[in-house]
Amino acid sequence: MIISASRRTDIPAFYSQWFFNRIKEGYVLVPNPYHPKMISRISLSPAVVDCFVFWTKNPAPMLNQLDKLQDYNYYFQFTLNPYGEKLENRLPSIDKRIDTFKKLADKIGREKMIWRYDPILTNEEYNVSFHQEAFARIAHELKDHTSKCMLGFIDHYPHIRNSIQPFNINPLTKEEIEEMAVSFKKTIDIYPGIQLDTCTVKVDLRHLGIPSGLCIDKGLIEKITGYPILAQKDKNGSVVILGGLSLVNSLHAYTFASLKRKKLISTTPLNDALNALILALNASAAAFVLLFTKKFRILS
């Protein structure tokens, strides 16, 4: 199971103590977003969690508690925007956040630090030239502390239009996007240790040499964990947002191959049959099967 923590709120910045309390207890209670009275108990055991993906703009509260994650695999999606207090008045300065980025990368390794330059928006103050200069400055600062930068461009969703209207933020034109993208690519080409991707399917920059990336990166997770991730996209959506956490519906968390590599399942014909059954179940049902097999000593 891959746990994305979280797109709905900044858990590292605002709820890190809650998160570590849940790690200590070994589970989290998650309400169904469509039926809030339906509560699921999700195990946070290292035997079940393949990887945490943290989304944050300020992971400073977690810096001195990373030892509590020593039994887990994880990486950070760290958003570093160049905007000031007018837009983001609850964040430390950009210089302090760059310093936090570097400290975290020094602790866990640059490959586990994804720099998100997102969302890219423009108005009279934050124009194309502003972004070109700001991106180049941040890239230079992070050249030895990240291996990937993800670009994201603002989407004018109906529910945010009233919030951004006072700042005169208008939809980006194709010309603006491509002018910035060309500049960003030239900057990143100076630093061969950083890969530049986009993180949206709505903006295709492959013709400019910028591939479309994945926010939840299967390849990166396999590199971090050291074993294959047997995930397939759920036709109903690969990510289910549940309360403060989002659970990626990756059936690999309960498959034979993943559990075998964690030395939880022995190789027997019965296990092969169970594996076929598990693949047909969703995460909660799979958890029940695991408990059943453990009770009858099918697990080694």
Side-chain angles (χ1 to χ4, degrees):
M1 179 171 58
I2 302 166
I3 299 185
S4 179
S6 165
R7 295 187 185 188
R8 282 193 166 184
T9 189
D10 194 327
I11 289 177
F14 302 116
Y15 302 103
S16 60
Q17 195 53 56
W18 168 85
F19 174 79
F20 285 118
N21 286 343
R22 300 325 311 150
I23 288 292
K24 181 179 179 181
E25 294 295 328
Y27 71 94
V28 62
L29 299 178
V30 182
N32 185 311
Y34 301 105
H35 304 283
K37 293 183 179 180
M38 295 177 61
I39 308 295
S40 298
R41 179 180 170 122
I42 306 298
S43 172
L44 297 181
S45 165
V48 174
V49 177
D50 290 281
C51 189
F52 285 111
V53 181
F54 295 109
W55 303 70
T56 185
K57 290 189 175 184
N58 180 29
M62 294 185 73
L63 278 178
N64 296 324
Q65 302 188 74
L66 294 175
D67 59 303
K68 297 176 182 178
L69 293 174
Q70 62 182 352
D71 295 327
Y72 296 89
N73 297 304
Y74 59 91
Y75 70 95
F76 281 81
Q77 302 249 17
F78 193 143
T79 298
L80 276 177
N81 289 331
Y83 311 120
E85 292 185 358
K86 291 180 181 178
L87 287 183
E88 299 181 312
N89 58 8
R90 295 189 179 183
L91 283 175
S93 69
I94 183 65
D95 290 333
K96 288 184 178 179
R97 283 179 285 140
I98 288 174
D99 185 59
T100 297
F101 193 109
K102 291 179 178 179
K103 288 179 179 177
L104 184 54
D106 288 340
K107 285 177 176 286
I108 69 174
R110 64 185 292 176
E111 71 282 355
K112 296 182 181 179
M113 296 292 294
I114 308 302
W115 167 31
R116 296 182 64 85
Y117 193 80
D118 167 47
I120 299 169
L121 55 86
T122 58
N123 60 13
E124 295 86 351
E125 182 176 359
Y126 307 119
N127 55 26
V128 170
S129 296
F130 169 86
H131 282 289
Q132 291 172 332
E133 295 172 6
F135 183 89
R137 181 203 164 200
I138 298 173
H140 177 73
E141 290 287 342
L142 301 183
K143 64 183 185 297
D144 298 320
H145 294 85
T146 185
S147 58
K148 181 179 287 189
C149 174
M150 302 287 286
L151 300 177
F153 299 87
I154 189 168
D155 251 321
H156 281 249
Y157 295 113
H159 67 279
I160 70 167
R161 289 173 185 168
N162 290 337
S163 299
I164 65 177
Q165 185 177 12
F167 302 101
N168 198 26
I169 297 169
N170 297 310
L172 292 165
T173 66
K174 180 180 179 182
E175 291 72 24
E176 286 178 317
I177 291 173
E178 294 200 347
E179 185 178 354
M180 287 187 284
V182 168
S183 176
F184 298 160
K185 180 69 166 56
K186 287 182 179 178
T187 294
I188 290 299
D189 284 346
I190 300 172
Y191 311 114
I194 303 178
Q195 178 182 334
L196 184 64
D197 290 352
T198 60
C199 63
T200 172
V201 296
K202 296 182 179 180
V203 178
D204 188 349
L205 299 176
R206 287 176 294 177
H207 61 291
L208 299 178
I210 303 175
S212 300
L214 298 171
C215 293
I216 306 295
D217 190 334
K218 175 177 176 285
L220 176 59
I221 293 173
E222 289 180 334
K223 183 177 179 180
I224 291 172
T225 61
Y227 54 81
I229 299 298
L230 306 179
Q232 63 185 50
K233 186 173 181 179
D234 189 332
K235 66 180 180 179
N236 296 318
S238 60
V239 178
V240 180
I241 305 296
L242 301 173
L245 296 172
S246 56
L247 305 179
V248 181
N249 268 345
S250 301
L251 295 179
H252 74 276
Y254 300 105
T255 60
F256 167 78
S258 178
L259 290 171
K260 180 184 176 184
R261 283 172 175 81
K262 294 189 175 201
K263 298 180 181 180
L264 292 177
I265 291 183
S266 59
T267 306
T268 68
L270 179 56
N271 282 324
D272 291 339
L274 282 173
N275 181 51
L277 174 62
I278 290 172
L279 284 172
L281 301 175
N282 62 26
S284 59
F288 173 79
V289 172
L290 288 175
L291 291 174
F292 178 86
T293 57
K294 184 176 181 180
K295 180 177 179 181
F296 290 91
R297 297 186 180 180
I298 296 173
L299 301 184
S300 57

